């Protein structure tokens, strides 16, 4: 999976002050997906995630000047933020959330069930009869 923020645009609204929208591009399994988000949505995500996991740095919420150079720096910072989240391994995220031991137990249980249901195990327990038993 690859994540990029290739562009941004400024939106004006009659109902609220103008704001910037960032276009997020996700490349997964050879397909591109796009979504647009405001900085406030990144910030809300960051607040939720940092309660559970170690997060990368997010660009400052407050911007003094809305000139293109400053917005480009914010775009780059948000892209690095998303890429930093992407590079955390599944096991690392589970460990940070305190769920790694549960996942490990679940995997072990699944392995034990598979082992108990294997033909070799049935042969050891009851010979060939148990493999080809028929219900009458």
């Amino acid at each position: 999976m690859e994540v990029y923020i290739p562009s941004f645009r400024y939106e004006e609204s009659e109902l609220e002050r103008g704001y910037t929208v960032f276009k997020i591009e996700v490349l997964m399994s050879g397909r591109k997906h796009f979504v647009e988000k405001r900085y406030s949505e990144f910030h809300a995500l960051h607040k939720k995630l940092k309660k559970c996991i170690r997060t990368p740095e997010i660009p400052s919420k407050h911007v003094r000047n809305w000139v293109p150079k400053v917005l480009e720096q914010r775009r780059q910072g948000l892209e690095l933020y998303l890429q930093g989240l992407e590079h955390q391994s599944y096991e690392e995220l589970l460990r940070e959330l305190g769920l790694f031991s549960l996942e490990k137990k679940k995997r072990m249980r699944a392995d034990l069930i598979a082992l108990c249901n294997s033909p070799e195990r049935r042969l050891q327990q009851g010979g060939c009869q148990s493999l080809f038993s028929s219900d009458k």
Side-chain angles (χ1 to χ4, degrees):
M1 183 172 85
E2 297 175 38
V3 181
Y4 303 101
I5 301 179
S7 62
F8 59 88
R9 71 176 190 285
Y10 187 76
E11 287 283 319
E12 293 193 38
S13 169
E14 293 177 7
L15 302 175
E16 60 183 321
R17 237 176 64 209
Y19 55 89
T20 305
V21 176
F22 297 90
K23 182 178 184 179
I24 304 164
E25 177 183 309
V26 179
L27 180 61
M28 190 158 71
S29 303
R31 299 185 72 195
K32 282 185 182 180
H33 306 274
F34 297 95
V35 65
E36 292 184 333
K37 297 290 178 183
R38 295 172 61 169
Y39 178 86
S40 59
E41 295 172 287
F42 282 96
H43 193 261
L45 172 68
H46 179 72
K47 282 175 59 175
K48 288 179 184 175
L49 288 176
K50 76 179 186 178
K51 291 177 184 177
C52 309
I53 64 171
R54 188 175 56 243
T55 59
E57 288 292 316
I58 190 165
S60 174
K61 184 175 183 174
H62 303 288
V63 176
R64 291 186 207 169
N65 195 344
W66 293 98
V67 296
K69 182 180 176 182
V70 173
L71 292 174
E72 175 58 22
Q73 289 172 343
R74 180 175 263 194
R75 182 203 66 76
Q76 290 173 358
L78 291 172
E79 184 174 78
L80 288 172
Y81 176 77
L82 289 179
Q83 291 171 349
L85 289 175
E86 170 199 4
H87 290 293
Q88 286 192 338
S89 73
Y90 176 67
E91 288 180 357
E92 184 179 337
L93 288 171
L94 287 174
R95 195 174 289 115
E96 291 286 336
L97 292 168
L99 299 174
F100 184 72
S101 60
L102 294 175
E103 181 66 18
K104 196 172 182 180
K105 286 177 186 174
K106 208 184 298 182
R107 288 179 189 169
M108 287 173 52
R109 182 174 181 269
D111 289 346
L112 285 172
I113 290 170
L115 177 65
C116 289
N117 290 333
S118 71
E120 294 86 6
R121 176 83 173 148
R122 289 188 199 153
L123 280 171
Q124 289 173 354
Q125 288 179 338
C128 292
Q129 301 297 357
S130 64
L131 279 176
F132 300 104
S133 64
S134 60
D135 295 322
K136 292 183 181 179

